[in-house]
Amino acid sequence: MKSVYYYLSVLIIFLSACHTNKSELETIKVAQFGDVFIYIPLYLANTKGFFKEEGLKVDLINTGGDDKTYAAVIGGSALFGIADPTFVAIAKEQGIDGCVIGSIVNSVPFWALTKNPNVPQITNAAMLAPYSVATFSAPSTAYTVQTEMFKEANLPTNIRQGAFGTLLPMLDTGNADIALELEPNVSIAVANGAKVVYSFADKYPDFTFTGITTSKKTIDEKPEIVQHFINAITKAEKFAHEYPDSAAYYMAELYPDVNKNIIAQAIKRMVDSNTLPQNAVISPEAWKQAVALRHRMGDLKSLDNIESVLDMNFAEKAR
């Protein structure tokens, strides 16, 4: 007859195995446009360990496009997508159902830079009359909001289009007077002598620029994972606002080629402008502004029932 010690040993091994299984992280795939600095909540949730706290291990997939990111979500190759969330509303008009469940970037995070000492602070659109502006290529949000700014003053659309990494050099060569840029390029340029002359974060303070998308199938079949993911993102957003210097420390690990002071300045600018949101909840006004812009662009046929793709239940719980 086997001793009681034998059975106790078996029981301990069994319980240890159960504990190990419970503590294993759930690996999920998250699609994103690319490695973009302004996706701070996503990267901070990873490097600071908030995903791990929520039992998740995140594998990032770079798609190279907002539409491709949402396609990855709907196609099932990614559980969540980080990109322009208005593509969910656009897809819904084509009979494709999905959901927007949280915010990563709030407001329009473009700052207008110049190295031309003759360019003043631009306080109204009419002051742009003598100047050209470099933006990312159409139909980017940067191109669209800048086009609208010219139209506000009945000015010709004097825009120089370019890809990532080409806009600031246009200032050096004189091909553009002003360039719209994202962080950390804004803070890098300012450190090198450029100045900010206007901000679309001021013009559109409540605007859903980058969101978290997922499929209805994921919400129905894996609500716990959805909640854990949103919890981690919310923790990261709160952490960045409460401890911006610490957030800069963790982001510097991901961007070793960028001066730590520059990263700190970039995060401060995003926190101060609320471009980096305080939590993942998307306000009705922020969503209305984003889809209205797409409607004016002609990408959305109608603004009817645009709220139907929003599901803020998980973000509200995490708040």
Side-chain angles (χ1 to χ4, degrees), residues 136-211:
F136 300 134
S137 300
S140 69
T141 303
Y143 177 88
T144 303
V145 294
Q146 188 58 65
T147 297
E148 290 200 334
M149 188 173 179
F150 277 118
K151 288 181 177 179
E152 281 176 18
N154 296 314
L155 295 174
T157 305
N158 194 2
I159 292 178
R160 309 285 187 266
Q161 300 181 51
F164 284 101
T166 68
L167 304 187
L168 291 178
M170 290 188 196
L171 299 182
D172 296 324
T173 59
N175 288 332
D177 300 301
I178 298 168
L180 297 189
E181 264 292 2
L182 301 164
E183 287 290 7
N185 290 345
V186 176
S187 293
I188 292 172
V190 169
N192 290 324
K195 64 178 179 179
V196 175
V197 290
Y198 59 94
S199 164
F200 280 105
D202 293 336
K203 188 175 177 61
Y204 299 95
D206 208 11
F207 185 104
T208 307
F209 187 81
T210 304

Side-chain angles (χ1 to χ4, degrees), residues 66-88:
D66 287 336
D67 53 341
K68 294 175 184 177
T69 296
Y70 188 51
V73 170
I74 295 302
S77 58
L79 214 56
F80 302 103
I82 310 297
D84 182 345
T86 58
F87 278 94
V88 180

Side-chain angles (χ1 to χ4, degrees), residues 78-158:
L79 214 56
F80 302 103
I82 310 297
D84 182 345
T86 58
F87 278 94
V88 180
I90 295 169
K92 185 174 178 60
E93 289 189 332
Q94 301 168 4
I96 302 170
D97 283 332
C99 291
V100 182
I101 58 173
S103 176
I104 293 289
V105 181
N106 185 58
S107 81
V108 177
F110 290 104
W111 285 266
L113 296 159
T114 188
K115 291 185 177 181
N116 183 344
N118 296 320
V119 178
Q121 289 295 313
I122 305 295
T123 56
N124 62 75
M127 295 177 68
L128 284 175
Y131 307 116
S132 59
V133 182
T135 77
F136 300 134
S137 300
S140 69
T141 303
Y143 177 88
T144 303
V145 294
Q146 188 58 65
T147 297
E148 290 200 334
M149 188 173 179
F150 277 118
K151 288 181 177 179
E152 281 176 18
N154 296 314
L155 295 174
T157 305
N158 194 2

